[in-house]
Amino acid sequence: MIFRKSSLSDLDEIWVFVHSSIVKMISEKIFQWDDIYPIRADFETDIMKEKLTVGVDEKSGKLVCIYVINSQHIVCSEMIFFISSSFSKESS
């Protein structure tokens, strides 16, 4: 896996990834994220601030994880979101 700062060109793929993750999380009765939070603009802001990192599979080039580390917030569970490649495959 290759980790790199995300760019605006990643935003569509990030949003599909996040949306499918929300669906999966809700089906597992994990209600941290829903149709109200987060919104696409949250990820765009993180990209513009160079805070969002993506993990990309070296062979397929597919997005397999995203995360933000934000030192301004104490509650890490809301600021860091990581999905393993196996979870990502189940969502697609």
Side-chain angles (χ1 to χ4, degrees), residues 24-38:
K24 177 69 173 171
M25 289 168 67
I26 290 171
S27 77
E28 299 286 331
K29 302 203 182 318
I30 301 168
F31 302 107
Q32 180 178 351
W33 287 0
D34 54 27
D35 59 341
I36 298 171
Y37 174 82

Side-chain angles (χ1 to χ4, degrees), residues 1 3 14 16-22 24-25 33 55 63-67 80-91:
M1 185 175 331
F3 293 95
I14 289 168
V16 168
F17 185 81
V18 168
H19 180 71
S20 64
S21 300
I22 291 170
K24 177 69 173 171
M25 289 168 67
W33 287 0
L63 183 72
V64 294
C65 71
I66 63 172
Y67 63 91
I80 301 172
F81 188 67
F82 180 86
I83 298 179
S84 70
S85 59
S86 62
F87 185 83
S88 176
K89 289 175 187 171
E90 291 176 14
S91 303

Side-chain angles (χ1 to χ4, degrees), residues 3-61:
F3 293 95
R4 63 172 172 76
K5 292 290 182 189
S6 60
S7 67
L8 287 176
S9 64
D10 296 316
L11 189 56
D12 288 339
E13 186 176 8
I14 289 168
W15 188 243
V16 168
F17 185 81
V18 168
H19 180 71
S20 64
S21 300
I22 291 170
V23 170
K24 177 69 173 171
M25 289 168 67
I26 290 171
S27 77
E28 299 286 331
K29 302 203 182 318
I30 301 168
F31 302 107
Q32 180 178 351
W33 287 0
D34 54 27
D35 59 341
I36 298 171
Y37 174 82
I39 60 173
R40 184 182 170 104
D42 295 326
F43 296 94
E44 185 173 1
T45 299
D46 289 337
I47 291 169
M48 298 299 288
K49 290 181 177 180
E50 298 183 352
K51 299 276 187 188
L52 188 91
T53 300
V54 295
V56 179
D57 181 80
E58 293 178 55
K59 293 179 183 170
S60 69

